[in-house]
Amino acid sequence: VAKNYEDFITAANKKAPAELTSKGMKSKFVEAYNNLGIIYAVTDKIKAKDSFSKTLGIDPTNQYAIEQLKSLK
């Protein structure tokens, strides 16, 4: 499952910059990074933290990512 989210992120990053900044695309990135964080929280806490940090890079007020980062410390 993680590979599907990683593949989406890789493919999406190849799109034109204007497409990447759309609200819809940002929400898809947030969803993908949060889901990767959930998956990695069980097996690789460093990758989980990285995923949630990437969510916050897109949406600094994302409460889910903030709470998950606190719980991973």
Side-chain angles (χ1 to χ4, degrees), residues 5-6 9-10 13 25-37 40 46-62 64-66 68-69 72:
Y5 290 113
E6 291 166 347
I9 291 166
T10 299
N13 278 321
M25 186 58 81
K26 285 182 179 183
S27 70
K28 289 179 183 179
F29 273 113
V30 166
E31 179 183 350
Y33 284 126
N34 277 344
N35 285 326
L36 280 173
Y40 289 137
I46 293 171
K47 282 186 177 181
K49 289 178 184 179
D50 183 54
S51 294
F52 291 124
S53 293
K54 287 180 179 178
T55 292
L56 294 175
I58 298 165
D59 177 7
T61 62
N62 187 280
Y64 183 77
I66 291 168
Q68 291 304 310
L69 278 172
L72 287 168

